[in-house]
Amino acid sequence: MIKLQRLIGLPIIVIHSGRLVGTVKDAWFDEHWQLKGLILDCPRWFVSTVKIIEWTHVVSCGEDTVIITGEAAIGRMKSKQLLRSFYTGLVKLKDLPVVTVQGIQLGRVSDVYFYPKEGTQIVGYELTDGFVSDLMEGRKWLRAPSDPDSVLLGEDAIIVSAVSEAELEPVAASNFRE
């Protein structure tokens, strides 16, 4: 299991040529918040398109680099088409509040976890209550429900079942190694 934010800033290298083609700027998701691909850092200002790599072209994600199948895997997408992303889309997953159906806020999304080899569905959320709370109590981990219909990944909040509050666990860095 890896953290999505661990990928941000990593260089992207082509497997057969070893050529550096960019760095990871963000990740984008479909309407079900399934990881669709990576957004590359684009040095030009005021561009209406962004460089992307669909996740199917990612060979591996190491601690130091992301390896892709080839330069042909790099495409372009209009910025307006990036509806859901972690940092930059119209709907941003970062800092989205997580609320139970009873109206109790469990925290805000600080990071998400997924298994890169087993699919791209989010398997868990790292939640924060703010800097001071993170220092005093630490961040919390909420496993994504196995039934995707039991969670609503909305534009302004993630709504989870009432039992999710009892399922919160402290984040332990040792639990999240590949």
Side-chain angles (χ1 to χ4, degrees):
M1 197 170 7
I2 62 171
K3 289 177 150 189
L4 179 62
Q5 284 197 69
R6 194 185 98 193
L7 298 179
I8 308 298
L10 289 182
I12 300 170
I13 297 177
V14 176
I15 192 165
H16 297 295
S17 68
R19 184 166 185 260
L20 175 69
V21 293
T23 58
V24 179
K25 177 182 179 181
D26 201 351
W28 101 87
F29 300 87
D30 67 9
E31 65 276 4
H32 304 290
W33 288 104
Q34 188 165 354
L35 183 66
K36 294 299 289 180
L38 301 174
I39 302 168
L40 280 68
D41 199 10
C42 200
R44 296 184 295 175
W45 291 42
F46 307 112
V47 291
S48 61
T49 61
V50 292
K51 286 182 174 180
I52 60 159
I53 298 172
E54 289 188 21
W55 192 256
T56 56
H57 296 290
V58 174
V59 175
S60 68
C61 307
E63 289 193 27
D64 301 316
T65 191
V66 173
I67 306 292
I68 63 170
T69 56
E71 288 184 52
I74 300 171
R76 289 208 169 265
M77 179 185 282
K78 291 185 179 183
S79 300
K80 294 176 183 176
Q81 289 179 306
L82 280 175
L83 300 179
R84 292 170 179 82
S85 73
F86 193 72
Y87 284 119
T88 59
L90 298 176
V91 179
K92 299 166 188 67
L93 187 55
K94 176 88 167 129
D95 292 325
L96 208 57
V98 177
V99 182
T100 67
V101 292
Q102 295 175 327
I104 298 170
Q105 183 169 322
L106 303 179
R108 292 184 166 274
V109 174
S110 170
D111 209 341
V112 295
Y113 296 82
F114 64 98
Y115 293 111
K117 296 177 179 95
E118 295 177 22
T120 53
Q121 190 65 45
I122 295 171
V123 294
Y125 306 94
E126 187 173 298
L127 305 179
T128 180
D129 283 328
F131 180 72
V132 174
S133 180
D134 288 352
L135 288 176
M136 302 296 286
E137 302 167 18
R139 291 189 176 166
K140 298 170 274 189
W141 155 260
L142 178 63
R143 181 168 297 282
S146 55
D147 178 15
D149 293 332
S150 65
V151 62
L152 173 70
L153 297 162
E155 292 182 17
D156 298 314
I158 298 173
I159 301 172
V160 296
S161 66
V163 297
S164 296
E165 185 175 15
E167 295 173 350
L168 288 174
E169 300 174 21
V171 171
S174 61
N175 292 343
F176 305 110
R177 301 272 185 229
E178 280 188 86

